[in-house]
């Protein structure tokens, strides 16, 4: 018996709204379809009406978790358009925040993966330690999520000795805890049984479907914008690109845990070699007509902004491609012929950061399997028609 | 006098009143332990140390609006929670807590009551299945199918492992089995393997992590209970708590020597031993992640069932040795 | 591999099909081809140079025409192929045969610019709702957003 299960736009497995429609036969998924737009906010259109400076804060609000990724990507593109060279210290601090953000995002992902696999203890542990990173970020920028530290030509806040020492101390705790998660996540039998072999994505498919980030690296392709196309100060910092060749959710978890350790090393290097000097240069209000492609390795993969200027103080076009969008095609491939039980895991494994989904409601008839898409206003009419002639139910009462 | 005793047995202890209070206490204990395992506080606000939290939850749910889906089989949908609660409460009466005599079988303690108890513990699974099926929600239907699939996995090892101590004690009566192990405490060690298997199977029967597959909220929302709300959901939750107490009581009777000492000392014995069993159930819940339904079935048939047979063999050997 | 070598290879292989090739910043190459030669250029880039990763497809409304940019990347640089199509007849060939991962970006182009993608495997709308009025393409420069009057069912008039 085939029937369709609507997952989303609102569903407990999804931390943000997106529409997935899954055709199942028993417990096996035969087909999957994805629908975006529920959360579409028209940021690209809005960006054309805002100035260069206003757009920093607009791009910051594309995503909560990787807010720094989008601003950095945008800001370094605009710096190229304005022919600015930010001072070294500014770039170091920008990279430092980027790496802290990666740590906090990966810890968050570990927790979410644990929760989706029904391993709530793991979730509670990782999220407690994520607080340490959030505290560091709060010390640096004053905010826990939207750091607002980037500006065109550098960063807005400097670091002092005490902050450096605080970060280094906290880093020790994080290292120790991450070591524990590495053991737990890769040896706990029921957890590994749940992750291994799930969501298989072969190397060829990963390349053909243009997957990015840990999803791609877990399929054995060592692609990392930080290494391939170094921005900020990544050409000076020693680090390795982490890959795994198991091509499944376990591989993605391993890649992320390995990247945690790389990030700790990078943070330590940055803090120990922090140059003295200015943190920002003054930026002009306008940019000459030009265009630029800016790439950035966000925690979820390659983030790309295409910016075109037309000589005014507003951009002509700002195209944003968040890493999650690039992974959707691969997700559908991974979902097919899997189990329903694996849907949340596979979907969580790309670390979805959804700023999209749908605005219509899909009504699936369980008896016939027929599905019709009904827009919200007609749905309202239907519900009014049904409830109009009914007598009112008794109010709920306290039973004692 | 006998009538009064029976009435007390039915209504107060270990009947409805005690069962309600004790099962909510067990839920609090389970929640608190689970929270402490996860570095959290657990319930703290309602009552001393949050002791009244499960009762508050129960009454809160009772006061909520009760919705029956249009397409659901209304009679069945509404009757199932009460029916389920009645079944598990009946099962509780069969546990030899007090008001039984070893020599003279009575209505609550007779030869073969272990089989009846196991049967009464199997019924809730069907109640869950019917609940999911009759609500005609997609998620409930998937949940209901999962309930039955899991049943085929854990039921056989559970029966084998619970019945092997009975074989050694040479009785089908819970009171006699418990009395036998009180006389020969060392023989409890023989059933250690069976105790472990039974713990895992009870965990599956109670649908707790790693076997909370029928209502895995990240996959199929509320699973079998998706459409339930208000009073019906409250009764279902109470039923699960009672089921936990009864299952823990069964394991304590069969594997840990029962609850000797009349009403009062027996009560203390009952509390200590069931909490001991529930501690392990919570430990399993806190340290594992949910597995897939096919993994449950293959795990039970590959490992649990052969080990349960091995336990039965050990018991038969030991029985030959001591007789 | 360096920028100049890539530019030389492009001029050598595509010859007069190259309308313009620029290198505004290190590791950034922009190649302009006519829309008829788009598939050939993409095929050349994928097969001969090994640019298998399509980062995204951007569309820009230039007023009289649409500019479409295909941002490719490999482990050295970002290579962009651009093409221009007239605004009154926006037709574009699909590159999904060569790059299967392009499907979502092409659907996005269809929604946002009203460009017809020929031979697209899955032409349904991706981002816009199903009751979105026909002929409204949000990222065109002449499209302005107007908030529809809010009606609360059963609310105050």
């Amino acid at each position: 018996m085939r029937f369709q299960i609507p997952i989303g736009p609102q569903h407990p497995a999804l931390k943000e709204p997106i529409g997935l429609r899954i055709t199942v036969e028993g417990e096996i998924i035969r087909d999957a379809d994805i629908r975006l737009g529920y959360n579409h906010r028209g940021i690209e259109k809005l960006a054309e009406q805002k100035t260069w400076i206003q757009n920093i804060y607009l791009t910051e609000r594309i995503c909560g978790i990787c807010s720094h990724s989008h601003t950095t990507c945008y800001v370094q593109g605009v710096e190229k358009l304005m022919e600015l060279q930010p001072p070294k210290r500014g770039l170091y601090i920008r990279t430092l925040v980027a790496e802290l953000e990666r740590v906090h995002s990966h810890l968050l992902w570990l927790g979410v993966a644990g929760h989706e696999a029904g391993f709530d203890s793991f979730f509670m542990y990782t999220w407690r330690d994520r607080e340490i990173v959030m505290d560091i970020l709060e010390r640096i920028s004053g905010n826990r999520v939207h750091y607002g530290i980037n500006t065109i030509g550098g960063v807005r806040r400097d670091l002092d000795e005490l902050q450096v020492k605080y970060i280094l101390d906290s880093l020790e705790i994080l290292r120790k805890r991450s070591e524990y998660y590495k053991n737990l996540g890769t040896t706990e039998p029921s957890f590994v049984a749940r992750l291994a072999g799930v969501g298989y994505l072969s190397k060829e498919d990963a390349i053909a479907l243009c997957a990015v980030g840990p999803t791609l690296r877990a399929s054995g392709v060592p692609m990392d914008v930080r290494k391939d196309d170094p921005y900020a100060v990544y050409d000076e910092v020693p680090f390795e690109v982490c890959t795994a060749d198991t091509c499944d959710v376990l591989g993605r978890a391993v890649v992320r845990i390995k990247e945690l350790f790389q990030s700790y090393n990078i943070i330590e290097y940055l803090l120990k070699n922090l140059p003295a000097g200015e943190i920002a240069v003054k930026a002009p209000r306008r940019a000459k007509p030009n265009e630029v492609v800016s790439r950035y390795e966000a925690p979820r993969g390659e983030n790309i902004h295409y910016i075109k200027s037309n000589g005014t103080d507003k951009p002509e076009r700002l195209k944003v491609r968040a890493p999650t969008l690039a992974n959707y095609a691969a997700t559908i491939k991974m979902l097919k012929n899997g189990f329903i039980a694996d849907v949340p895991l596979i979907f969580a494994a790309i670390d979805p950061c959804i700023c999209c989904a749908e605005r219509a409601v899909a009504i699936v008839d369980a008896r016939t399997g027929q599905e019709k898409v009904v827009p919200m206003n007609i749905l309202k009419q239907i519900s009014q028609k049904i409830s109009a002639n009914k007598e009112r139910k008794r109010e709920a009462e306290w039973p004692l | 006098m006998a009538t009064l005793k029976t009435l007390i047995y039915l209504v107060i202890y270990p009947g409805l009143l005690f069962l309600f209070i004790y099962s909510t206490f067990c839920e609090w204990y389970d929640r608190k332990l689970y929270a402490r395992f996860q570095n959290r506080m657990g319930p703290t606000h309602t009552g001393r140390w949050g002791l009244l939290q499960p009762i508050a939850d129960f009454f809160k749910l009772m006061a909520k609006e009760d919705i029956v889906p249009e397409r659901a089989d209304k009679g069945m949908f509404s009757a199932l929670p009460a029916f389920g609660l009645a079944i598990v409460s009946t099962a509780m009466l069969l546990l030899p807590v007090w008001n039984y005599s070893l020599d003279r079988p009575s209505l609550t303690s007779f030869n073969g009551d272990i089989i009846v108890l196991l049967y009464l513990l199997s019924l809730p699974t069907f109640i869950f299945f019917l609940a999911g099926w009759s609500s005609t929600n997609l998620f409930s239907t998937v949940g209901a199918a999962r309930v039955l699939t899991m049943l085929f996995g854990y039921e056989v090892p559970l029966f084998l492992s619970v019945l092997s101590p009975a074989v050694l004690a040479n009785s089908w009566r819970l009171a006699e089995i418990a009395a036998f192990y009180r006389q020969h405490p060392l023989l409890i060690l023989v059933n250690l393997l069976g105790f472990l298997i039974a713990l895992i199977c009870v965990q599956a029967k109670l649908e707790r992590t790693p076997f909370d597959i029928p209502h895995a909220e990240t996959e199929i929302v509320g699973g079998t209970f998706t459409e339930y709300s208000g009073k019906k959901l409250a009764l279902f939750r109470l039923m699960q708590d009672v089921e936990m107490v009864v299952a823990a009581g069964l394991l304590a009777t069969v594997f840990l020597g029962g609850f000797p000492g009349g009403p009062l000392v027996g009560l203390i014995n009952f509390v200590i031993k069931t909490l001991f069993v529930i501690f392990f159930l919570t430990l399993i819940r806190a340290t594992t992640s949910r597995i897939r339904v096919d993994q449950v079935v293959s795990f039970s048939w590959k490992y649990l069932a052969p080990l349960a047979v091995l336990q039965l063999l050990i018991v038969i050997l030991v029985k030959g040795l001591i007789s | 591999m360096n920028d100049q070598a890539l530019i030389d290879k492009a001029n050598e292989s595509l010859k007069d099909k190259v309308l313009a090739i620029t290198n505004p910043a290190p590791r950034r190459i922009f190649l302009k081809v006519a829309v008829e030669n788009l598939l050939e250029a993409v095929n050349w880039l994928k097969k001969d140079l090994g640019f298998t990763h399509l980062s995204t497809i951007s569309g820009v409304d230039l007023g009289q025409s649409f500019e479409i940019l295909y941002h490719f990347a490999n482990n050295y640089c970002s290579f962009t192929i651009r093409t221009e199509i007239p605004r009154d007849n926006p037709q574009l060939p699909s590159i999904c045969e060569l790059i299967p991962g392009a499907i979502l970006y092409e659907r996005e182009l269809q929604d946002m610019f009203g460009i017809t993608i020929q031979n697209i495997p899955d032409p349904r709308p991706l981002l816009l709702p199903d009751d979105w009025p026909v002929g409204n393409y949000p990222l065109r420069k002449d499209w302005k957003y107007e908030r529809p009057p809010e009606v609360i069912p059963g609310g105050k008039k």
Side-chain angles (χ1 to χ4, degrees):
Chain A
M1 188 175 85
R2 265 175 191 244
F3 54 91
Q4 280 187 314
I5 295 188
I7 294 197
Q10 306 290 352
H11 187 277
L14 306 168
K15 307 289 166 268
E16 289 165 276
I18 188 175
L20 277 177
R21 211 163 295 155
I22 288 170
T23 310
V24 292
E25 229 177 74
E27 287 267 324
I28 315 249
I29 300 163
R30 290 294 176 216
D31 200 9
D33 183 24
I34 216 158
R35 189 64 217 271
L36 311 174
Y38 188 79
N39 232 2
H40 198 273
R41 291 157 294 169
I43 280 184
E44 290 179 18
K45 185 82 180 171
L46 189 58
E48 291 168 11
Q49 292 146 31
K50 304 245 176 215
T51 62
W52 295 113
I53 292 286
Q54 284 174 326
N55 273 332
I56 303 174
Y57 304 100
L58 182 66
T59 48
E60 183 143 26
R61 272 141 191 88
I62 289 176
C63 171
I65 303 300
C66 42
S67 56
H68 189 73
S69 312
H70 284 288
T71 50
T72 311
C73 195
Y74 168 77
V75 155
Q76 65 194 16
V78 177
E79 277 160 6
K80 270 186 201 149
L81 287 179
M82 293 178 171
E83 289 156 359
L84 290 174
Q85 179 55 44
K88 211 79 210 193
R89 189 175 172 92
L91 286 179
Y92 264 72
I93 294 174
R94 191 182 278 176
T95 317
L96 175 75
V97 176
E99 286 307 316
L100 283 170
E101 184 187 70
R102 193 182 312 278
V103 171
H104 117 71
S105 174
H106 282 356
L107 282 177
L108 175 131
W109 182 83
L110 276 177
V112 170
H115 175 68
E116 305 287 13
F119 195 4
D120 279 350
S121 303
F122 195 53
F123 164 69
M124 299 287 172
Y125 274 68
T126 46
W127 278 45
R128 186 195 59 186
D129 292 330
R130 181 168 160 264
E131 286 299 309
I132 299 174
V133 196
M134 306 288 269
D135 286 346
I136 297 178
L137 283 166
E138 197 180 356
R139 288 258 172 134
I140 296 176
S141 69
N143 293 309
R144 282 160 59 89
V145 178
H146 288 302
Y147 320 115
I149 198 158
N150 274 324
T151 188
I152 296 168
V155 292
R156 291 172 59 213
R157 283 162 200 270
D158 203 355
L159 278 179
D160 64 21
E161 280 305 310
L162 271 176
Q163 280 170 325
V164 171
K165 192 175 168 305
Y166 175 77
I167 300 172
L168 285 173
D169 289 348
S170 308
L171 215 54
E172 277 316 300
I173 307 171
L174 280 172
R175 272 220 176 93
K176 222 186 296 161
R177 303 296 306 172
S178 304
E179 199 69 46
Y180 175 64
Y181 300 140
K182 193 174 160 191
N183 292 335
L184 193 67
T186 50
T187 54
E188 213 292 310
S190 64
F191 193 52
V192 172
R194 201 51 217 287
L195 300 190
V198 168
Y200 184 81
L201 182 71
S202 67
K203 192 173 174 176
E204 291 73 32
D205 283 340
I207 293 172
L209 295 170
C210 302
V212 294
T215 314
L216 181 64
R217 290 198 282 276
S219 293
V221 185
M223 189 171 150
D224 190 326
V225 180
R226 291 179 291 173
K227 209 61 160 185
D228 301 340
D229 189 0
Y231 53 90
V233 291
Y234 281 109
D235 44 353
E236 299 171 13
V237 183
F239 72 98
E240 284 167 25
V241 178
C242 308
T243 58
D245 44 17
T246 50
C247 308
D248 56 5
V249 179
L250 185 65
R252 283 159 219 152
V254 168
V255 165
R256 286 194 172 95
I257 295 177
K258 278 187 189 166
E259 281 186 7
L260 277 180
F261 289 101
Q262 292 299 328
S263 289
Y264 298 147
N265 291 343
I266 296 174
I267 293 168
E268 201 173 350
Y269 178 90
L270 289 173
L271 288 174
K272 294 208 165 133
N273 297 286
L274 195 63
E278 287 295 302
I279 55 166
V281 291
K282 195 168 162 33
R285 277 188 59 223
R286 292 166 209 280
K288 278 184 229 133
N290 203 345
E291 61 190 345
V292 68
V293 173
S294 175
R295 294 167 79 206
Y296 178 95
E297 184 72 18
R300 291 159 176 79
E302 179 206 33
N303 183 8
I304 179 165
H305 285 206
Y306 168 76
I307 310 166
K308 192 174 173 128
S309 55
N310 56 4
T312 62
D313 59 348
K314 295 183 176 112
E316 165 87 11
R317 174 90 169 96
L318 168 64
K319 162 81 187 179
V320 177
R321 201 290 321 266
T324 310
L325 186 67
N327 278 334
Y328 280 149
T331 313
I332 292 176
K333 173 89 191 163
M334 287 187 264
L335 283 174
K336 277 181 190 164
N337 296 323
F339 292 90
I340 305 179
D342 296 335
V343 174
L345 264 181
I346 294 173
F347 201 68
I350 65 164
D351 201 355
C353 168
I354 301 156
C355 25
C356 346
E358 69 183 327
R359 209 183 289 158
V361 183
I363 296 184
V364 182
D365 191 325
R367 300 237 166 93
T368 57
Q370 268 176 357
E371 180 190 356
K372 39 181 183 170
V373 173
V374 181
M376 205 60 205
N377 47 1
I378 296 185
L379 197 72
K380 268 183 200 153
Q381 286 167 12
I382 296 175
S383 74
Q384 279 168 354
K385 214 188 295 168
I386 293 174
S387 56
N389 302 324
K390 288 221 167 140
E391 63 183 85
R392 216 181 130 107
K393 271 190 192 165
R394 202 167 50 88
E395 294 288 333
E397 280 167 20
W398 183 247
L400 292 179
Chain B
M1 195 62 205
T3 328
L4 187 68
K5 226 175 165 184
T6 313
L7 212 63
I8 291 174
Y9 193 80
L10 277 178
V11 179
I12 296 173
Y13 172 69
L16 290 173
L17 188 70
F18 170 75
L19 205 53
F20 177 71
I21 293 170
Y22 186 60
S23 59
T24 51
F25 172 75
C26 281
E27 192 194 327
W28 172 86
Y29 172 75
D30 175 48
R31 274 165 73 172
K32 196 83 178 170
L33 259 183
Y34 187 54
R36 294 310 297 151
F37 279 133
Q38 297 180 342
N39 275 309
R40 291 186 292 121
M41 288 305 289
T44 47
H45 277 64
T46 324
R48 196 76 195 257
W49 308 302
L51 266 170
L52 296 179
Q53 188 64 51
I55 298 180
D57 285 354
F58 179 78
F59 283 116
K60 184 204 76 175
L61 273 179
M62 282 303 245
K64 291 278 174 196
E65 188 190 359
D66 206 347
I67 300 165
V68 180
E70 195 119 290
R71 287 241 200 97
D73 180 345
K74 291 196 186 55
M76 186 121 103
F77 188 83
S78 316
L80 282 171
F83 203 55
L85 189 59
I87 287 172
V88 286
S89 311
T90 314
M92 181 68 188
L93 297 179
L94 292 178
L95 285 181
V97 189
W98 66 286
N99 196 17
Y100 66 92
S101 123
L102 269 181
D103 320 319
R104 202 161 42 82
S106 62
L107 265 179
T108 54
S109 177
F110 48 86
N111 209 357
D113 57 359
I114 183 169
I115 305 288
V116 178
L117 186 53
L118 281 173
Y119 166 73
L120 286 178
L121 278 182
S122 291
L123 279 183
T125 315
F126 288 99
I127 298 277
F128 290 152
F129 165 72
L130 287 175
W133 198 259
S134 63
S135 38
T136 62
N137 180 308
L138 272 177
F139 299 115
S140 307
T141 314
V142 176
R146 286 178 175 194
V147 169
L148 274 199
T149 320
M150 259 179 41
L151 179 77
F152 293 119
Y154 63 77
E155 203 74 349
V156 172
L158 177 67
F159 274 46
L160 282 176
S161 60
V162 170
L163 292 185
S164 50
V167 171
L168 186 57
N170 207 8
S171 164
W172 294 113
R173 196 178 152 200
L174 284 167
E176 282 177 14
I177 298 169
F180 175 82
Y181 287 103
R182 281 203 295 279
Q183 278 162 11
H184 311 91
L186 273 181
L187 286 181
I188 289 177
L189 295 178
V190 176
N191 299 322
L192 213 58
L193 181 64
F195 182 55
L196 285 177
I197 297 166
L199 264 181
I200 295 173
C201 293
V202 162
Q203 186 81 351
K205 184 170 264 313
L206 297 173
E207 293 173 6
R208 289 145 59 86
T209 329
F211 305 105
D212 56 346
I213 305 159
H215 48 84
E217 85 271 13
T218 49
E219 295 155 22
I220 48 172
V221 194
T224 41
F225 303 134
T226 310
E227 291 291 353
Y228 277 91
S229 55
K231 296 182 193 64
K232 303 191 181 76
L233 185 63
L235 287 185
F236 261 137
R237 290 194 41 178
L238 185 64
M239 169 189 167
Q240 280 180 317
D241 293 344
V242 174
E243 198 187 351
M244 180 163 80
V245 173
V246 176
L250 172 69
L251 294 196
T253 317
V254 176
F255 292 102
L256 304 175
F259 327 105
L264 216 66
V265 186
L267 174 70
I268 296 167
N269 263 319
F270 183 76
V271 169
I272 290 174
K273 283 180 179 172
T274 45
L275 289 189
F276 178 73
V277 173
I278 292 172
F279 174 81
F280 282 109
L281 294 180
T282 312
L283 189 65
I284 297 177
R285 180 171 164 219
T287 51
T288 51
S289 87
R290 185 192 310 127
I291 55 180
R292 268 201 318 264
V293 70
D294 60 314
Q295 286 170 335
V296 176
V297 178
S298 65
F299 172 71
S300 353
W301 286 104
K302 265 187 201 155
Y303 303 101
L304 289 185
L307 283 175
V309 172
L310 180 71
Q311 167 69 29
L312 203 59
L313 281 178
I314 293 173
V315 163
I316 292 170
L317 277 179
V318 172
K319 199 175 173 187
L321 281 176
I322 53 173
S323 63
Chain C
M1 203 184 278
N2 62 45
D3 293 350
Q4 196 52 49
L6 283 172
I7 294 172
D8 291 346
K9 267 188 195 157
N11 282 325
E12 198 178 301
S13 310
L14 295 174
K15 298 194 183 74
D16 53 340
K17 283 166 190 153
V18 176
L19 295 181
I21 187 157
T22 50
N23 185 15
R27 294 166 184 269
R28 299 282 184 273
I29 296 170
F30 291 81
L31 165 71
K32 184 166 183 179
V33 294
V35 68
E36 307 86 68
N37 302 326
L38 178 70
L39 284 178
E40 194 191 331
V42 171
N43 194 25
W44 162 77
L45 198 61
K46 186 187 170 192
K47 297 271 159 59
D48 293 8
L49 292 186
F51 280 81
T52 48
H53 180 79
L54 175 70
S55 289
T56 187
I57 306 174
S58 307
V60 185
D61 186 357
L62 295 181
Q64 290 308 305
S65 57
F66 292 126
E67 188 180 46
I68 313 295
L69 300 105
Y70 293 78
H71 305 286
F72 286 87
N74 72 349
N75 54 13
Y76 168 69
C77 80
S78 165
F79 197 109
T80 302
I81 295 181
R82 73 162 97 221
T83 184
E84 249 182 75
I85 50 175
R87 195 189 167 108
D88 42 10
N89 181 25
Q91 300 266 344
L92 201 65
S94 166
I95 62 162
C96 285
E97 292 259 307
L98 300 164
I99 313 273
I103 177 74
L104 289 178
Y105 309 131
E106 291 190 345
R107 282 169 71 180
E108 193 184 348
L109 268 188
Q110 277 194 343
D111 274 16
M112 291 298 174
F113 287 94
I115 295 169
T116 314
I117 312 273
Q118 295 149 352
N119 304 326
I120 185 168
D122 182 1
R124 291 172 304 165
L126 175 74
L127 288 167
L128 298 178
D130 293 310
D131 56 351
W132 187 258
V134 184
N136 277 291
Y137 303 112
L139 280 181
R140 288 191 179 184
K141 288 282 181 195
D142 54 3
W143 188 83
K144 291 274 179 296
Y145 177 67
E146 275 165 30
R147 186 179 280 271
E150 204 164 329
V151 182
I152 304 165
K156 282 175 196 163
K157 293 277 161 16

